[in-house]
Amino acid sequence: MLSHVRQCRSLRSPVKFLTLSPLTSFIFSEPSASAAKFAVDDEPTTIDSLSNPVDIVCEIITGVKTFGPVKFLEGQWFRTLVQSLNQPQVDQIVDVLRIESPDSAVLFFDRLKSEYGFRHSRVSHLLIAHVLAGRRRCKELRSALEQMLQQEGTGSAPSLCELLWISFRDWDSNGVVWDMLAFSYSRLDMVHDALFVLAKMKDLNLRASIQTYNSLLYNLRHTDIMWDVYNAIKVNGIPQSEYTNSILINGLCKQSLIQEAVAFLCETEGKESKPCVVSFNTLMSGFCKMGFVDVAKSFFCMMFKHGLLPDVYSYNILIHALCIAGSMEEALEFTSDMEEHGVVPDVVTFNILAKGFRVLGMMSGAWKILHEMLRRGLNPDIVTYTILICGHCQTGNIEEGFKLQEEMLSRGLNLNSISYSVLLSSLCKRGLVNEALSLLCKIENIGLKPDLATYSILIHGLCKQGDVQRAIELYKEMFSKRILPNAYAHCSILLGLCEKGTISEAKMFFDTLTEIDLIKDIVLYNIMIYRYAKLGNIEAAVKLYKQIIEKEISPSVITFNSLIYGFCKSRKLVEARRWLDTIEAHGLVPSAVTYTTLMNAFCEEGNIHAMFELLREMESRAVEPTHVTYTVVIKGLCKQQKLQESVQLLEHMYAKGISPDEITYNTVIQCFCKARDLKKAFQLHNEMLLHNLQPSPVTYNVLINGLCVYGFLKDADRLFSSLQDQNIRLTKVAYTTLIKAHCVKGDVDKAMVLFRQMVENGFDITIRDYSAVINRLCRRCLINEAKKFLHLMLSTGISLDREICSVTLNAFNEGGDHNSVYELLAAMIKCGLFPE
């Protein structure tokens, strides 16, 4: 104790202190750090009231030696004294303690950092690193160095290496510290710094460990530099571990150099090291990711030939690949095989199988896997539940998804963001956006923070439901939480504003995104261009296109399709046709939509020749026509009364494997109805059914109208009744067509029955519907029948208008029904319609 006090007294003289440590000159040459501030229980003591800096160092060292490090460092005296310590003083204390009491030095170093937040210097870190290295406390050594490197940052290797060389070159365990420094740099992904340290070690004849080389090799496995590291291992004669070759094989697989990986395994087999399970696993994984499961299985068999037993990871690789390929039976066979070879399936194995069944939509199989897990005493983890929740939500059984959520909570497991995102997405898809918002509150209440995916799903759901205002509120909330919305959220809001708002609101939002430079691609521009084109504002659409070119954003085919559609809608077909050349000028190929849009526009204009010219150009460029393209061509043929050719084109579509839709058939059926060939029209209807194509309400509207127009009213009634018996939903047009036909025939009772059915089925009945019937009845002088419909109209709360009053007054006057005239005049006055 007396010798220690004398030593502390010698610290009062910087010259004498030089004899204590080879580091002293370096310490005193550093600029003195400002004193750190620490939180203490009592009033802080001022620096003036304390001993001078050298006395403080001596007193702390004496206190540690006298009372022991734990008791002294927890004492109130040290808590007060520590406020005035700076980095050079701490360096001195650590340097003295590491000689006399290494454990005390480590404890003092850790306590200052953990309890008082003291920022240690490089010197203290390296002093403690040498203490830990000398005592073979490798885990703590790595932790101390990693803390220092995180503090120093990238590019710090040259100055740290200089410090190690100048001040620590002759110290014991110096080689260990150098090696761990390179390893720590590599672990923190500071690869260039790690390479610098290794280069310095080579100059100093210090040898790095295989663990350091393996770590660096792993970090560089995506690059060709990994070969330089591998060659350095061989040149320096460093014994390889079983993972060295596996890391290099993994790197080759990552670079899609599978053949080179196989060649490397064959080349090193039996020479440098015996192939290990990890190497085979790496190759199997590489082949499976490329879809070559059979090749992976051959390597699996080779493991047995080399006397190696596959581990659970080996089996999981193959089982996963087989599940992805949909070969669940073979995957289950491998699961049985692994048990026969003494390898026990783990939770990962069962999760892979459960996911395989989920992908195939076989949730019963997934549940069997869960029950097997429980039978074996394995606890389902968060991945297991996430798989089951995703499966049930994707099959529409969201209720089961929420039951699983409750079961997870009962087992002490909280859902992850993926599970919640799936539940939120399922609720939004079913239109249950309010319930999704309630779930968002629950997520926040259990401490989970909503992420970008969560907000994007909700914003999309709200916009799809038409509640754009609430979506914008969530959008603003994202910014307040420093979550930057992605293109998906932007698109949802812009589409919502276009659909439910006004074009001016959409433009304001779009302009805001443009001003703050959040539009990086063409998608949002395409939305606005299409909206302008749909509204017929082709000038605004072209203006946006010019902005795209100015900003050097590459337009897409969709951009040009929207512009062509806009010009076609404005009937500027010559300009629309010119945009085909512009598409090619941008190195793009016109799509089927491009040609179909133009063809339809020329067809509508009656320019069938131009339409067929475009079709020939389309085929010459190997652009495959779609069923919509053929529908447009059929419409053109029908306009030319080429009905037989339109039917032949239908057959040609089936021959090419293109299925016509109901619109295609409706086009042809309508043409045959107009041509009075109702027999062929109904044959086409039956053909639809043979091809499992359900006729649409429009199909039946066309057929019923055809029967009515050409006097087959009884057949129209039979068809109508048959459709009602089959619970086929009919439109209002079908009812009004029959009602008008019965009015013309004078069968008012039947017309009244149909009219009442139309009202009972919830169709929106307007004054135009009543007017159409009453006008026909009046023209046929069916005054009493017209009065019935007039009374029915008034009883449903629909007010009179001048048109219907004028027609009925004339009919009543001509029929001499003066009482009805007076009644109608009174009703008009009551409705505020004063006779002229």
Side-chain angles (χ1 to χ4, degrees), residues 745-760:
K745 286 286 186 180
D747 190 355
V748 181
D749 291 337
K750 180 63 176 177
M752 183 66 82
V753 169
L754 287 168
F755 204 96
R756 290 187 184 279
Q757 283 182 7
M758 187 168 66
V759 174
E760 290 168 2

Side-chain angles (χ1 to χ4, degrees), residues 383-410:
V383 177
T384 318
Y385 280 104
T386 301
I387 290 166
L388 292 172
I389 289 170
C390 289
H392 283 297
C393 288
Q394 285 170 1
T395 55
N397 192 355
I398 191 170
E399 292 79 10
E400 191 63 44
F402 276 102
K403 285 182 184 176
L404 285 164
Q405 177 207 9
E406 295 300 325
E407 185 177 324
M408 279 186 72
L409 295 173
S410 67

Side-chain angles (χ1 to χ4, degrees), residues 685-752:
H685 164 267
N686 295 337
E687 187 179 304
M688 289 178 73
L689 297 173
L690 286 173
H691 286 288
N692 294 318
L693 182 60
Q694 181 61 44
S696 69
V698 176
T699 315
Y700 293 115
N701 290 345
V702 171
L703 291 170
I704 290 169
N705 184 69
L707 291 169
C708 290
V709 167
Y710 299 113
F712 301 104
L713 187 53
K714 288 185 179 179
D715 292 321
D717 283 334
R718 277 196 291 270
L719 175 60
F720 186 85
S721 298
S722 172
L723 295 172
Q724 285 184 316
D725 293 340
Q726 295 175 59
N727 291 321
I728 293 175
R729 175 74 174 170
L730 296 167
T731 66
K732 181 180 170 182
V733 175
Y735 284 91
T736 55
T737 302
L738 277 173
I739 289 167
K740 291 172 187 176
H742 280 289
C743 286
V744 171
K745 286 286 186 180
D747 190 355
V748 181
D749 291 337
K750 180 63 176 177
M752 183 66 82

Side-chain angles (χ1 to χ4, degrees), residues 569-757:
K569 190 176 178 67
S570 301
R571 298 194 173 186
K572 297 178 179 179
L573 302 191
V574 176
E575 291 92 330
R577 183 73 171 80
R578 286 180 189 146
W579 281 96
L580 274 176
D581 299 328
T582 310
I583 293 175
E584 292 179 345
H586 282 275
L588 300 170
V589 179
S591 67
V593 174
T594 318
Y595 282 105
T596 304
T597 303
L598 279 166
M599 288 166 63
N600 186 59
F602 280 110
C603 182
E604 291 292 336
E605 287 289 311
N607 192 345
I608 308 303
H609 174 76
M611 180 195 76
F612 279 108
E613 190 179 89
L614 282 164
L615 179 63
R616 285 189 291 272
E617 182 182 323
M618 183 180 183
E619 291 172 341
S620 69
R621 292 185 175 180
V623 179
E624 285 294 325
T626 65
H627 73 280
V628 181
T629 314
Y630 282 114
T631 302
V632 170
V633 176
I634 286 170
K635 183 168 68 173
L637 291 169
C638 289
K639 282 194 173 189
Q640 292 183 327
Q641 302 301 313
K642 296 180 179 179
L643 302 187
Q644 196 57 43
E645 287 88 338
S646 67
V647 173
Q648 288 173 357
L649 191 53
L650 270 176
E651 294 170 356
H652 177 70
M653 288 175 70
Y654 281 115
K656 289 193 71 173
I658 300 172
S659 298
D661 62 6
E662 66 275 9
I663 298 173
T664 316
Y665 273 100
N666 290 347
T667 304
V668 187
I669 289 170
Q670 188 172 35
C671 289
F672 276 101
C673 285
K674 284 183 180 179
R676 298 193 177 194
D677 192 348
L678 295 176
K679 182 179 179 182
K680 183 61 180 179
F682 275 94
Q683 282 179 359
L684 288 165
H685 164 267
N686 295 337
E687 187 179 304
M688 289 178 73
L689 297 173
L690 286 173
H691 286 288
N692 294 318
L693 182 60
Q694 181 61 44
S696 69
V698 176
T699 315
Y700 293 115
N701 290 345
V702 171
L703 291 170
I704 290 169
N705 184 69
L707 291 169
C708 290
V709 167
Y710 299 113
F712 301 104
L713 187 53
K714 288 185 179 179
D715 292 321
D717 283 334
R718 277 196 291 270
L719 175 60
F720 186 85
S721 298
S722 172
L723 295 172
Q724 285 184 316
D725 293 340
Q726 295 175 59
N727 291 321
I728 293 175
R729 175 74 174 170
L730 296 167
T731 66
K732 181 180 170 182
V733 175
Y735 284 91
T736 55
T737 302
L738 277 173
I739 289 167
K740 291 172 187 176
H742 280 289
C743 286
V744 171
K745 286 286 186 180
D747 190 355
V748 181
D749 291 337
K750 180 63 176 177
M752 183 66 82
V753 169
L754 287 168
F755 204 96
R756 290 187 184 279
Q757 283 182 7

Side-chain angles (χ1 to χ4, degrees), residues 166 259 341 361 438 834:
I166 292 172
Q259 290 182 339
H341 285 89
S438 298
F834 296 98

